[in-house]
């Protein structure tokens, strides 16, 4: 169960170190590992946020689902992830997986993933039904699909245009059949203005919900994050 934070802290803002402290108090979820899922639409900033959180956690390992998915298995990789990664971690062993090379269209050399106290699982589908029982915490990047996809297209350029044309309908089908957001413990928003007031933060905070601001997590682009309690109601 995710540890709750006090109402006073929720009103005044949750800084990154308080989030880290709460994560470390969370009971292990996969053997002795606290597995954190970071999900959201493609292009929503999951990798950047996961990297910042991992850094704040003292260099926690991050497994990117882009390394697990393939052209032939955009979303049909659950069995391989459970077998090659989660089963060893649950048993206290170092997992080994082969990252997929999207340009060469083949798997690369094996990579080790140790059973660290905290491991981040980042990517579209990290909060899927089959994985949630293994997660200590699920975070959802709160960026609308169309905005995220537009950012992803701009990031990847013309070279990946055909891929995105196929990816978007596949992602739509995935989340229609197996949504992650309703089960998120926390919602994460990016903001270039740093910590904003609730009325400026968008629908969730502006409608009167209690928000938790995560400071001290500014990226090279000047982004910071606003963290809100998620639909799961665990915080």
């Amino acid at each position: 169960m995710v540890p709750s934070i006090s109402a006073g802290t929720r009103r005044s803002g949750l800084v990154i170190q308080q989030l880290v402290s709460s994560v470390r108090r969370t009971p292990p979820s996969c053997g002795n590992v606290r597995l954190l899922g970071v999900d959201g639409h493609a292009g929503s900033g999951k990798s950047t946020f996961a990297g910042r959180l991992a850094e704040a956690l003292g260099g926690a390992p991050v497994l990117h689902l882009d390394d697990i998915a393939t052209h032939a298995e955009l979303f049909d990789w659950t069995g391989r992830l459970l077998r090659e990664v989660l089963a060893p971690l649950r048993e206290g062993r170092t997992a080994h997986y082969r990252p997929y090379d999207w340009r060469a269209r083949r798997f690369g050399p094996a990579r080790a993933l140790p059973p660290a106290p905290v491991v981040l699982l980042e990517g579209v589908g990290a909060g899927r039904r089959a994985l949630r029982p293994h997660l200590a915490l699920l975070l959802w990047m709160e960026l609308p699909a169309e905005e995220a996809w537009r950012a992803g297209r701009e990031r990847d350029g013309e070279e990946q245009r055909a891929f995105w044309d196929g990816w978007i309908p596949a992602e739509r089908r995935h989340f229609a059949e197996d949504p992650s957001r309703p089960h998120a413990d926390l919602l994460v928003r990016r903001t270039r203005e740093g910590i904003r007031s609730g009325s400026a933060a968008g629908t969730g905070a502006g409608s009167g919900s209690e928000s938790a601001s995560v400071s001290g997590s500014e990226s090279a682009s000047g982004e910071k994050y606003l963290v809100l309690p998620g639909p799961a109601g665990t915080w």
Side-chain angles (χ1 to χ4, degrees), residues 30 32-36 54 59-65 67-68 80-99 109-122 134-135:
C30 184
N32 291 322
V33 175
R34 294 160 181 82
L35 189 64
L36 309 185
V62 181
L63 174 61
H64 302 282
L65 289 176
D67 290 339
I68 303 297
R80 185 155 40 85
L81 179 68
L82 291 171
R83 182 175 61 255
E84 297 180 1
V85 178
L86 299 194
L89 293 183
R90 188 170 57 247
E91 297 168 1
R93 298 185 289 112
T94 296
H96 294 86
Y97 65 98
R98 297 176 61 195
R111 186 175 297 173
L113 182 69
V118 179
V119 173
L120 281 77
L121 181 66
E122 173 275 318
H134 306 279
L135 299 179

Side-chain angles (χ1 to χ4, degrees), residues 10-109:
R10 288 159 67 101
R11 286 192 295 269
S12 64
L14 181 69
V15 298
I16 190 68
Q17 289 305 324
Q18 289 173 313
L19 177 59
V20 167
S21 178
S22 293
V23 166
R24 288 174 172 159
R25 294 198 308 271
T26 302
S29 58
C30 184
N32 291 322
V33 175
R34 294 160 181 82
L35 189 64
L36 309 185
V38 180
D39 205 339
H41 298 291
S44 61
K46 298 178 299 299
S47 297
T48 300
F49 176 76
R52 300 301 297 179
L53 182 56
E55 180 183 0
L57 284 162
V62 181
L63 174 61
H64 302 282
L65 289 176
D66 282 352
D67 290 339
I68 303 297
T70 70
H71 283 91
E73 297 177 321
L74 291 179
F75 292 100
D76 296 334
W77 38 258
T78 305
R80 185 155 40 85
L81 179 68
L82 291 171
R83 182 175 61 255
E84 297 180 1
V85 178
L86 299 194
L89 293 183
R90 188 170 57 247
E91 297 168 1
R93 298 185 289 112
T94 296
H96 294 86
Y97 65 98
R98 297 176 61 195
Y100 184 69
D101 187 324
W102 287 88
R103 286 184 168 79
R105 291 177 174 257
R106 62 171 181 265
F107 290 103

Side-chain angles (χ1 to χ4, degrees), residues 155-171:
R155 176 195 64 201
D156 293 346
E158 188 65 24
E159 179 185 358
Q160 297 297 321
R161 179 178 180 180
F163 174 80
W164 276 95
D165 288 344
W167 171 270
I168 289 175
E171 184 182 313

